[in-house]
Amino acid sequence: MAENFYQLQKEGIFKKIIYAGDGIVPSFPDGAKATFHYRTTKADEEKTLLDDSKHTGKPMELIFGKKFKLEVWEKLLKTMTVKEVAEFTCDTKHAAVYPVVAKSLRDIFKGKTTHSHTSHCCGMMALSEQGMGYSDLDELMKSPQPLVFTLELLTLELPEQFEQESWSMNEKEKLESVPKLREAGNEAYSKKNYEEAANKYAQALGMLEDLMLQEKPGDEDWKRLDEMKRPLLLNYSQCKLLTHDYYPVITHTTDVLERDPDNIKALFRRGKAHAAVWNLKEAQKDFARVVELDSSLESAVKKELSSLEQRIKQKEQTEKTLLKGMFS
């Protein structure tokens, strides 16, 4: 513990423990997630308040090793135990970037979704010239100064203990997550939890679509990722079919058929979805194509068509009864 204090002081950081936490300082491997509250004040006599996450009602989450813009927060958290509350007075060199981070956090809290793709240096210069939109942060940009961060470490989760969100993943992690999500979807499906299964398949599809945006359409890597989408689209469509959400079935099976026109599963599932929403000609066309491609499915197709014909008769009878009642 004393070594941690000494090392921080060498770097221009002074730590004061307000409440001791549980146990000893844990390890903080890359990929671990810390959830914590933060309170930021100036280092003046009044300790002028800048930000307090408890005022927003939502703690901060930080994943180690992801190059968070305010690097000093990683350094500070790594000296803390879970449930500890500590105050850190940081030299200007550690606090200079705080206005940029604070602006982003405030904007998120207010529901703003603007994103900047400029480099760190250019972004800092532009914000200094144009203003942050917050007078206290504008002042800090013009006159950087030491700041005091009071942190409360609520929880620490190791990488295997939580489901990482896509925004925090690199390309390799996104690609590795796809088969895991598909397996989780399959497991949920086997338990007849179709909503959860659909959600897992949708997450995997989102990962692949993010990765495809980094590739040139038609290139080999793009084609490989597109190929990986096909079984997931079919699985997702089956879940939607079983939960009676038919229009996504039509949309996603059509996506499959654009690449693979003779995919029997896609044709059969789209046919069932068309039948459910009274697209009679489209349903008959899909079912007819299924039988052309695989005659062994003729009895299954006949069963679907028979059910469709029965529904049509019931609908016609209901309409006749209604009309009769209107004019009697």
Side-chain angles (χ1 to χ4, degrees):
M1 180 70 73
E3 185 180 341
N4 283 340
F5 277 75
Y6 176 69
Q7 185 60 40
L8 287 174
Q9 287 179 20
K10 282 176 61 178
E11 298 181 35
I13 301 170
F14 296 86
K15 177 178 179 179
K16 176 183 176 183
I17 296 177
I18 299 175
Y19 298 109
D22 298 336
I24 62 172
V25 176
S27 62
F28 293 79
D30 284 354
K33 179 171 74 174
T35 303
F36 61 99
H37 275 299
Y38 65 92
R39 188 172 188 270
T40 307
T41 63
K42 294 182 180 179
D44 54 16
E45 289 185 9
E46 296 80 10
K47 287 197 172 180
T48 305
L49 179 65
L50 294 169
D51 294 289
D52 190 337
S53 63
K54 289 186 178 180
H55 290 173
T56 70
K58 185 175 181 181
M60 178 74 184
E61 292 181 351
L62 186 151
I63 296 178
F64 292 90
K66 295 297 180 182
K67 297 182 179 179
F68 183 63
K69 197 170 287 185
L70 188 59
E71 294 178 11
V72 73
W73 274 5
E74 284 200 25
K75 188 185 298 292
L76 306 182
L77 289 165
K78 285 182 177 181
T79 71
M80 299 178 69
T81 59
V82 176
K83 306 300 182 185
E84 178 183 324
V85 180
E87 179 183 280
F88 300 88
T89 303
C90 300
D91 279 357
T92 302
K93 64 182 179 181
H94 298 297
V97 76
Y98 181 75
V100 178
V101 174
K103 172 180 167 55
S104 296
L105 294 174
R106 293 181 189 184
D107 285 350
I108 290 168
F109 175 64
K110 290 184 175 180
K112 298 179 183 179
T113 56
T114 55
H115 300 280
S116 173
H117 298 282
T118 57
S119 69
H120 175 71
C121 179
C122 294
M124 288 282 284
M125 290 175 63
L127 287 169
S128 180
E129 293 171 2
Q130 298 170 11
M132 310 287 290
Y134 302 94
S135 59
D136 55 349
L137 299 182
D138 287 336
E139 180 191 336
L140 280 178
M141 285 293 291
K142 292 173 184 175
S143 304
Q145 56 189 274
L147 294 177
V148 179
F149 301 115
T150 303
L151 306 182
E152 179 183 356
L153 180 56
L154 302 173
T155 61
L156 176 68
E157 297 172 90
L158 297 177
E160 63 273 15
Q161 293 175 320
F162 69 97
E163 188 173 299
Q164 198 171 345
E165 296 181 41
S166 62
W167 62 264
S168 66
M169 295 183 183
N170 58 35
E171 291 184 16
K172 182 174 181 290
E173 289 168 335
K174 286 181 181 179
L175 191 60
E176 289 174 347
S177 74
V178 171
K180 294 176 184 176
L181 287 166
R182 183 179 177 184
E183 184 179 340
N186 292 346
E187 184 177 349
Y189 185 89
S190 69
K191 295 176 182 177
K192 298 186 179 181
N193 192 339
Y194 303 126
E195 291 284 359
E196 182 183 343
N199 183 50
K200 296 298 181 184
Y201 297 138
Q203 287 181 54
L205 285 164
M207 298 291 182
L208 289 172
E209 286 167 2
D210 283 350
L211 290 167
M212 290 173 72
L213 289 173
Q214 311 303 317
E215 307 294 340
K216 184 178 179 181
D219 280 1
E220 286 305 312
D221 286 340
W222 187 92
K223 288 179 181 178
R224 177 175 58 85
L225 294 168
D226 187 55
E227 195 74 28
M228 291 172 67
K229 284 176 59 179
R230 210 162 295 166
L232 289 164
L233 286 168
L234 288 170
N235 290 354
Y236 180 79
S237 297
Q238 178 65 5
C239 291
K240 288 296 180 180
L241 195 62
L242 291 168
T243 54
H244 312 295
D245 190 3
Y246 299 113
Y247 288 104
V249 179
I250 295 169
T251 298
H252 294 297
T253 52
T254 299
D255 288 345
V256 173
L257 291 164
E258 285 176 356
R259 302 275 194 278
D260 184 8
D262 293 335
N263 189 295
I264 294 173
K265 286 182 179 179
L267 285 164
F268 192 76
R269 290 169 191 175
R270 189 173 71 175
K272 291 182 73 170
H274 274 311
V277 296
W278 302 101
N279 296 336
L280 306 182
K281 290 182 180 179
E282 291 86 348
Q284 290 166 344
K285 183 178 178 181
D286 281 344
F287 286 139
R289 184 59 181 153
V290 167
V291 174
E292 285 179 21
L293 293 169
D294 188 349
S295 59
S296 68
L297 293 173
E298 186 171 1
S299 60
V301 167
K302 283 183 177 179
K303 183 178 178 181
E304 292 295 332
L305 290 172
S306 175
S307 174
L308 178 58
E309 288 172 6
Q310 186 63 33
R311 286 173 56 226
I312 292 170
K313 287 179 182 177
Q314 289 174 350
K315 184 181 179 184
E316 290 174 346
Q317 184 60 46
T318 300
E319 289 173 349
K320 285 180 181 178
T321 302
L322 288 170
L323 286 170
K324 186 178 179 182
M326 288 172 64
F327 293 103
S328 60

